[in-house]
């Protein structure tokens, strides 16, 4: 699925993709110097189409742009970052051993 538009719903503390009346999202919590990514939801209609990866790219991009370290507690975000070594430098050190990076 090309051209997935991710928006930041700051009131709900989540990055969102709205498609065909459905919303996929990645929740986040901001802490001083950190962003915690605890939960990602993609409606079944969009599973396997790159929507969750678009959310992950946006979340990690947001962290990098804002000088934040990432704490990926969501299983999807944890798996995603393992596959993207270019993002390992912004993963919080406290998570690296558990993630195997």
């Amino acid at each position: 699925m090309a051209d997935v538009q991710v928006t930041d719903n700051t009131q709900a503390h989540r990055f969102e993709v709205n498609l065909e009346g459905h919303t996929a999202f990645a929740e986040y919590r901001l802490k001083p110097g950190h962003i915690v990514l605890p939960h990602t939801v993609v409606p079944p209609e969009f599973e396997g189409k790159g929507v969750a990866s678009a959310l992950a790219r946006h979340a990690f991009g947001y962290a990098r742009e804002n000088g934040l370290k990432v704490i990926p507690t969501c299983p999807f975000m944890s798996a995603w970052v393992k596959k993207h070594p270019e993002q390992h430098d912004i993963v919080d050190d406290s998570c690296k051993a558990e993630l195997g990076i």
Side-chain angles (χ1 to χ4, degrees), residues 12 44 53 61 64 72 101:
S53 291
R64 188 172 298 283
I101 59 174

Side-chain angles (χ1 to χ4, degrees), residues 62-96:
Y62 176 90
R64 188 172 298 283
E65 289 172 15
N66 290 280
L68 302 172
K69 290 290 187 176
V70 180
I71 301 173
T73 59
C74 165
F76 175 82
M77 293 293 182
S78 295
W80 185 89
V81 75
K82 286 181 190 180
K83 297 175 187 174
H84 291 86
E86 72 278 8
Q87 302 294 348
H88 292 180
D89 64 311
I90 62 169
V91 173
D92 189 71
D93 289 342
S94 68
C95 304
K96 288 183 176 182

Side-chain angles (χ1 to χ4, degrees), residues 4-86:
V4 174
Q5 185 74 359
V6 180
T7 59
D8 184 359
N9 182 338
T10 56
Q11 289 184 333
H13 304 287
R14 62 190 204 175
F15 300 113
E16 298 179 340
V17 173
N18 294 297
L19 296 166
E20 300 173 20
H22 300 281
T23 302
F25 60 89
E27 293 177 355
Y28 65 83
R29 286 192 293 256
L30 295 174
K31 296 183 172 189
H34 295 85
I35 185 169
V36 180
L37 303 173
H39 190 55
T40 303
V41 174
V42 175
E45 297 87 354
F46 302 112
E47 288 179 1
K49 296 184 179 180
V51 174
S53 291
L55 289 164
R57 279 191 303 277
H58 187 85
F60 277 79
Y62 176 90
R64 188 172 298 283
E65 289 172 15
N66 290 280
L68 302 172
K69 290 290 187 176
V70 180
I71 301 173
T73 59
C74 165
F76 175 82
M77 293 293 182
S78 295
W80 185 89
V81 75
K82 286 181 190 180
K83 297 175 187 174
H84 291 86
E86 72 278 8

